[in-house]
Amino acid sequence: ALATLQARGAAATEVERLWLASALIFRSRQEEALPQLMALRKAYPHDRDLLVRTAALLRALGQPSTRAGAGQAAALLEAEFALRPSDEDLVVQAGDYLAEAGRLEEASQRFQRITQVAPGDPEAYLRLASIQWDYYLFDGAAAAIVAARKKSADPLRFADKLAAVYESRRDYPRAI
């Protein structure tokens, strides 16, 4: 069945292309699957699942290098963010891909968008802090927690989290 679908080439329907891409990926033939997914992206440019799947495949293939593939995947996700400004997951994935590409400063800037999605939500700042902490950006994580405390008008909120960040950056006097 796989050979038959491949033989159909451009005559294949979108459903057949999706099935073919899935089968090729399953059989670890990602390089052959990418053109199928890219063709589907042209037909359905704003399909979120297809977008995320294509970005993940670009990153996994890492062509011409791992950094370049991760950068391409991030760019693909960022382009969609303009149309889906409330989709925090796209921001996080794009930032993760940028970090993987060795572009940590850009990744940190992308992660800041999390607070723009829900500017009054202290939990958004806590999510930002958590991501920054994961990337050892302790100063940014501490600043996000301080901002969360201000947004919630509770100077003691997230005290345990802030202390953990200070402890991680070995600022023991502030951690206490």
Side-chain angles (χ1 to χ4, degrees):
L2 190 59
T4 304
L5 280 178
Q6 284 181 298
R8 288 183 44 87
T13 66
E14 280 93 4
V15 171
E16 290 171 330
R17 282 185 186 277
L18 184 58
W19 189 88
L20 177 59
S22 298
L24 289 168
I25 291 168
F26 180 76
R27 297 188 73 183
S28 297
R29 294 167 57 183
Q30 288 87 348
E31 292 85 357
E32 296 173 63
L34 185 59
Q36 301 299 327
L37 289 178
M38 295 304 272
L40 286 167
R41 286 269 311 132
K42 286 182 183 171
Y44 303 99
H46 304 298
D47 183 291
R48 189 189 185 287
D49 292 335
L50 190 57
L51 165 78
V52 170
R53 191 172 192 184
T54 304
L57 185 57
L58 276 170
R59 186 201 127 265
L61 286 174
Q63 295 176 350
S65 68
T66 303
R67 285 182 176 221
Q72 292 168 357
L76 190 63
L77 294 172
E78 286 181 354
E80 188 69 14
F81 183 70
L83 299 172
R84 299 172 187 265
S86 64
D87 194 335
E88 187 178 306
D89 289 337
L90 290 180
V91 173
V92 172
Q93 275 188 299
D96 285 341
Y97 290 160
L98 286 169
E100 186 176 318
R103 295 159 50 186
L104 196 55
E105 185 62 36
E106 284 180 73
S108 181
Q109 292 171 1
R110 295 310 179 275
F111 293 139
Q112 293 294 328
R113 290 183 183 170
I114 292 169
T115 59
Q116 295 169 2
V117 170
D121 181 11
E123 295 295 328
Y125 290 86
L126 186 60
R127 288 190 299 277
L128 170 61
S130 176
I131 292 167
Q132 289 178 323
W133 191 3
D134 289 344
Y135 286 104
Y136 303 99
L137 302 170
F138 301 127
D139 292 339
I145 294 172
V146 168
R149 294 169 117 182
K150 287 179 183 174
K151 292 288 177 184
S152 68
D154 182 354
L156 299 178
R157 190 168 185 188
F158 307 127
D160 58 328
K161 311 257 187 285
L162 187 58
V165 170
Y166 288 144
E167 183 178 3
S168 294
R169 74 175 188 191
R170 301 195 190 312
D171 186 351
Y172 300 116
R174 293 184 84 181
I176 297 175

